[in-house]
Amino acid sequence: MSKSQRYAMLATSLIESGSLLRLGSLRQLILGSFLVALVPLAALLWQSQTDLARVSQLTVKETQHIASLVSKVQQLESASVVLERALRQYQVLKNDVAAGLVENAIGRFSEQHGAICDVEKRVNGCVQLRQTVTTLRGFRAFDNPDMLANQLTLMRQQLADIDVSVDDAIAERLVVQQQDVSAMQVRQTWLSALLVSVSLALILLGSQLIINPVRKLKLIIRMLARQQGHLPPLSTKAPRELAGVEQDLHWLGERLAQLEHIRTALLRHAAHELKTPLASMKEGCALLSDGSVGELSGPQQEVMSLINASTTRLNTLIEKLLDYNLLLQQAQPKFTLVDVDHMVKQCIGDYKLALQKHKLDIDLACKSITADEELLRRILDNLVSNAVAHGALDKTIHIRLSVDEHNAYIDVANDGKKIPKEKISSLFEPFIRGEGARNDNVIGTGLGLSIVADCARIMHGDATVIDVDYADVCFRVRIPQQEEKH
């Protein structure tokens, strides 16, 4: 097992034990993960540098050996040329000076021969050439010129064999060197793949330690938005920063739950307390209207009708408080095919008395749309009620429905005081009442338009104020169209 592999196994064991990544802060976790992921890459770099140095040393060594061997072969050939010339001179001169030159040439040739054969053991022809050199040392006994010529021819042949053998030895060493380099490349490739895989695994593990707490925070936020039961328990192994955010979200969830409880209790108690005196008022009005306590005159009957109308309106306002409470608790709309024509007729019938001083202009380009039936009815009720309460008397109230490829648009318009542009943005907020006196002389709750906006939002649409040429004020509700869901 190499050192780099041991380093990779050490880094993996440290990750699995959590001794390096179990850090307090998010910054420490990121830095620790980064440093641990760098350990296999550092081991890979060290191993690559080691292999590169080894290849460089091997290349330099083999190059020097080959260059030295080739140089010795060239020197041996030069020595053979000098030896052959000295021997031929001795055959001509036959004196001691020529003999001394031959002895020197033979000694130099033997040295060069030994330098090659002692260094490179795989060279063929060394033994035969040594025997030939030994024979040439007895050059004084060569009385016949043919004997010298035969020995010189044999020496040249043996030198040629040595040249071929040296070339083969060099080629063999090059092949071995190439095989070593190829094996090193294969080993480096596998090691790189292994260490890079370990680094990627460590990076994924480190990122997972960050992603898991973030995913939990996202889940908590989604549960807070949708009010889906109890929140998951606090994390014990998350970084301090993310753990702090999770604690804040839990505190926010508790605070929202408290506010929701207070709001629900307030609306429920307010509606209940208002219903009690209202029931007594309606019962008294019923007794007076029936004549149970005596006959009423004409003016008294007229006053009684006004009181009945006021109690009915008050009952409607109380129901709006309850409807608003129920509306805030509804999260998922149920889209069905709604008969808008029939719903508009029902709404007009409910507001028949209030609409006596108004004219109606109804233009329904489409009789049916896909929407939540209950939410759509609340939108129509509140828009018509708002037009009756704030629209100019003896003027027309326009109700129009249009549909394009993706959306349905409900427009309810009336004449009256125009709404300033700077107040449109806050017009759909709860408890924001319109300016000016109402036609029914009742103080509004400021919930009608907020209920319209919330109903449209639940159906993934919106409510806005638009400019039209046929009325002073026009409220438009956009409802995206989709397939009917059962």
Side-chain angles (χ1 to χ4, degrees):
M1 182 182 296
S2 63
K3 291 183 178 179
S4 58
Q5 291 174 331
R6 290 198 295 270
Y7 289 155
M9 293 180 62
L10 176 61
T12 305
S13 63
L14 289 174
I15 287 293
E16 291 175 352
S17 63
S19 58
L20 286 182
L21 296 183
R22 193 179 296 141
L23 302 174
S25 67
L26 183 60
R27 178 181 298 176
Q28 290 175 341
L29 178 59
I30 294 175
L31 292 178
S33 302
F34 179 73
L35 293 177
V36 171
L38 284 181
V39 171
L41 297 180
L44 176 60
L45 180 60
W46 176 83
Q47 185 66 36
S48 300
Q49 292 293 334
T50 302
D51 291 343
L52 181 60
R54 180 183 173 188
V55 171
S56 299
Q57 293 176 359
L58 181 62
T59 302
V60 171
K61 180 180 178 182
E62 291 297 326
T63 302
Q64 290 176 348
H65 178 77
I66 292 173
S68 175
L69 191 60
V70 172
S71 176
K72 287 180 174 60
V73 171
Q74 292 176 350
Q75 292 176 4
L76 180 62
E77 291 177 350
S78 298
S80 67
V81 173
V82 173
L83 176 59
E84 183 177 353
R85 186 184 302 113
L87 287 171
R88 293 187 183 279
Q89 289 178 356
Y90 178 78
Q91 287 292 324
V92 175
L93 299 176
K94 297 288 186 175
N95 55 25
D96 294 337
V97 176
L101 294 175
V102 173
E103 293 289 347
N104 291 334
I106 292 175
R108 184 176 179 80
F109 184 81
S110 297
E111 292 177 359
Q112 298 298 329
H113 171 263
I116 294 177
C117 294
D118 293 341
V119 172
E120 186 61 51
K121 303 297 184 181
R122 291 171 294 181
V123 175
N124 297 325
C126 288
V127 176
Q128 293 82 355
L129 185 59
R130 186 176 290 111
Q131 293 175 355
T132 302
V133 171
T134 302
T135 303
L136 291 176
R137 290 184 185 277
F139 63 92
R140 290 184 177 88
F142 293 166
D143 297 332
N144 187 355
D146 292 336
M147 293 179 60
L148 178 62
N150 291 334
Q151 292 297 323
L152 292 177
T153 301
L154 182 60
M155 183 183 69
R156 286 194 292 272
Q157 183 63 38
Q158 292 169 350
L159 286 175
D161 293 339
I162 288 177
D163 288 340
V164 174
S165 180
V166 167
D167 291 339
D168 293 339
I170 291 174
E172 184 178 351
R173 291 182 72 93
L174 291 176
V175 170
V176 173
Q177 182 180 2
Q178 185 176 4
Q179 291 175 351
D180 291 341
V181 172
S182 299
M184 191 178 301
Q185 288 178 345
V186 173
R187 184 173 63 254
Q188 186 69 23
T189 300
W190 282 106
L191 186 59
S192 299
L194 173 63
L195 294 180
V196 169
S197 300
V198 173
S199 292
L200 291 176
L202 296 178
I203 291 173
L204 292 176
L205 181 57
S207 62
Q208 196 67 28
L209 294 177
I210 301 174
I211 291 174
N212 287 338
V214 174
R215 286 179 177 174
K216 188 174 181 180
L217 294 178
K218 185 178 179 181
L219 174 63
I220 293 175
I221 293 173
R222 189 182 298 113
M223 293 179 67
L224 288 176
R226 298 179 179 178
Q227 299 180 357
Q228 295 177 343
H230 297 286
L231 299 180
L234 291 172
S235 301
T236 57
K237 297 182 180 180
R240 283 198 300 268
E241 294 85 352
L242 298 182
V245 174
E246 186 176 352
Q247 292 176 356
D248 292 341
L249 289 176
H250 274 261
W251 174 84
L252 178 60
E254 295 176 357
R255 183 62 177 167
L256 290 175
Q258 294 175 357
L259 295 176
E260 176 68 17
H261 178 72
I262 293 173
R263 179 186 59 79
T264 303
L266 175 62
L267 293 176
R268 185 174 61 251
H269 291 167
H272 179 268
E273 294 299 326
L274 290 174
K275 284 279 188 177
T276 301
L278 178 62
S280 299
M281 294 173 60
K282 291 179 70 66
E283 183 65 23
C285 290
L287 293 175
L288 292 174
S289 298
D290 293 342
S292 300
V293 294
E295 293 294 332
L296 299 179
S297 63
Q300 290 174 338
Q301 289 285 352
E302 183 177 357
V303 172
M304 186 56 57
S305 64
L306 293 176
I307 294 175
N308 279 325
S310 297
T311 55
T312 302
R313 180 60 179 166
L314 181 58
N315 186 67
T316 302
L317 294 177
I318 294 174
E319 290 178 353
K320 284 188 176 181
L321 285 174
L322 296 176
D323 288 345
Y324 188 67
N325 182 40
L326 295 174
L327 174 65
L328 294 179
Q329 296 177 359
Q330 182 175 352
Q332 295 296 332
K334 298 180 180 179
F335 286 94
T336 57
L337 191 62
V338 179
D339 187 351
V340 182
D341 184 35
H342 178 67
M343 184 175 291
V344 169
K345 291 179 180 178
Q346 285 184 336
C347 183
I348 293 173
D350 293 341
Y351 288 90
K352 184 176 181 180
L353 294 177
L355 292 171
Q356 286 180 352
K357 296 183 179 181
H358 296 274
K359 300 177 182 179
L360 284 176
D361 174 24
I362 301 177
D363 181 10
L364 304 180
C366 179
K367 300 297 182 180
S368 301
I369 62 173
T370 56
D372 186 294
E373 185 173 2
E374 180 63 26
L375 296 177
L376 183 60
R377 179 57 191 269
R378 291 179 183 178
I379 290 175
L380 289 173
D381 283 343
N382 285 280
L383 289 179
V384 172
S385 175
N386 183 78
V388 170
H390 297 281
L393 298 177
D394 298 326
K395 296 292 184 179
T396 303
I397 295 178
H398 307 270
I399 302 175
R400 297 188 177 183
L401 171 66
S402 60
V403 179
D404 61 14
E405 184 178 357
H406 302 289
N407 299 286
Y409 301 95
I410 300 174
D411 296 343
V412 177
N414 59 269
D415 290 315
K417 185 178 180 180
K418 284 185 172 293
I419 302 174
K421 292 185 178 180
E422 61 272 11
K423 294 186 178 181
I424 291 178
S425 59
S426 62
L427 196 62
F428 295 96
E429 296 180 3
F431 306 108
I432 301 297
R433 294 192 296 266
E435 297 181 353
R438 295 168 58 98
N439 296 330
D440 49 10
N441 296 321
V442 177
I443 299 177
T445 61
L447 294 176
L449 294 180
S450 65
I451 292 177
V452 170
D454 288 336
C455 289
R457 174 183 52 80
I458 293 175
M459 290 189 290
H460 315 296
D462 53 53
T464 56
V465 178
I466 63 172
D467 293 330
V468 293
D469 55 1
Y470 54 86
D472 296 327
V473 179
C474 180
F475 291 93
R476 167 169 287 183
V477 176
R478 179 184 64 87
I479 302 176
Q481 296 299 283
Q482 51 187 293
E483 294 183 359
E484 181 181 355
K485 295 183 179 179
H486 300 282

